[in-house]
Amino acid sequence: MKIKTLILPLIAFALLSCKEKKEPVRDEVARPVTVDTVVAEPPQEIKTDTAVIKEPENAKTEEAETETDAISYHFDFNKFSSKNYNFVKKAKLDFSSDDGAYTFRTRIKEAYASGTPDFASYYITVIFGCGASCIMGLMMDVRDGKIYGLPLGEENSCLFAEDRAIYNAKSRLFISGICKESPEDENVYYHAFVWNEEKKVFEKVEEKDIK
């Protein structure tokens, strides 16, 4: 009986010891779960990145609005419309038709080879700088390859230009320059010309005739 009395307390003590040892193991297993939850938080950063992506889109919209709001002078190009022309091919360039054309033969050849009529139905233009506040240019007739000077250069330039060389493929109107007397001046004046297809010359026109 004494032996049984001693064994029973020993068994009970052993069982209690096993339970106490298992409890810390449970705590250790539980800790990594808490760490995993913290690591899973970065998806919140993705939302921030998405918001940042929208900023360039807004910037592009503002740029587009700025371009749309640019000053429009409403020139009456239709008043000087040119004849409809079904462009098919280009004639060979005739450098003998203009005294100074051969000097700019590289520019002319490149523009003529890559271009299509962009002024007064029949002409391909080429424009380039000729010094401070100065541009010059020529136009080539695709029908016969003849070359003509555009009304640009120093005599039709201005120091304070709002815009220069405004024209289109369906009109004979050519705006050489929109000018100001000074950068602060709100008033503008124009160098405006109309191409006379029969005489093959540019004729100056007044502001009242182009608006």
Side-chain angles (χ1 to χ4, degrees):
M1 292 296 292
K2 290 181 179 180
I3 295 172
K4 290 182 179 179
T5 304
L6 291 171
I7 291 173
L8 288 173
L10 288 171
I11 293 171
F13 178 78
L15 291 171
L16 288 172
S17 298
C18 290
K19 288 182 179 179
E20 289 176 1
K21 289 179 181 178
K22 289 180 180 178
E23 287 177 0
V25 173
R26 288 177 184 174
D27 291 341
E28 291 175 2
V29 173
R31 285 175 189 171
V33 174
T34 305
V35 175
D36 289 344
T37 304
V38 175
V39 173
E41 289 181 359
Q44 294 178 359
E45 296 178 3
I46 294 172
K47 292 181 181 178
T48 304
D49 292 341
T50 304
V52 172
I53 290 171
K54 291 181 181 179
E55 291 181 2
E57 292 177 1
N58 293 337
K60 288 180 183 178
T61 303
E62 290 174 2
E63 289 176 3
E65 289 175 357
T66 302
E67 292 175 1
T68 304
D69 293 339
I71 298 172
S72 177
Y73 297 96
H74 304 292
F75 297 117
D76 192 359
F77 284 98
N78 292 329
K79 185 176 180 179
F80 306 97
S81 61
S82 54
K83 293 182 179 180
N84 291 329
Y85 178 64
N86 185 22
F87 170 66
V88 179
K89 63 178 182 178
K90 305 167 189 173
K92 183 180 179 181
L93 284 169
D94 179 8
F95 282 95
S96 65
S97 59
D98 183 89
D99 292 338
Y102 196 74
T103 305
F104 307 103
R105 60 188 178 280
T106 301
R107 293 179 183 272
I108 292 171
K109 287 179 179 179
E110 289 177 353
Y112 193 67
S114 61
T116 55
D118 57 354
F119 174 66
S121 298
Y122 315 112
Y123 302 92
I124 295 173
T125 62
V126 56
I127 296 173
F128 43 91
C130 55
S133 301
C134 175
I135 58 173
M136 66 177 297
L138 303 108
M139 62 184 194
M140 298 77 77
D141 192 333
V142 295
R143 297 167 297 179
D144 56 16
K146 289 186 177 180
I147 302 167
Y148 304 91
L150 290 171
L152 295 169
E154 292 182 0
E155 65 274 18
N156 292 309
S157 66
C158 47
L159 186 59
F160 305 106
E162 288 288 285
D163 209 342
R164 298 181 291 177
I166 304 171
Y167 54 96
N168 67 51
K170 297 181 179 180
S171 177
R172 294 177 293 111
L173 177 61
F174 190 99
I175 309 298
S176 299
I178 302 171
C179 308
K180 286 184 175 184
E181 295 289 350
S182 68
E184 299 80 17
D185 200 342
E186 294 183 359
N187 298 318
V188 297
Y189 62 94
Y190 307 93
H191 292 303
F193 299 83
V194 171
W195 175 249
N196 186 320
E197 181 62 33
E198 293 181 0
K199 296 180 180 180
K200 303 294 184 185
V201 293
F202 280 98
E203 299 172 341
K204 192 169 181 61
V205 290
E206 302 299 325
E207 179 179 351
K208 63 182 178 62
D209 297 321
I210 63 175
K211 301 189 76 176

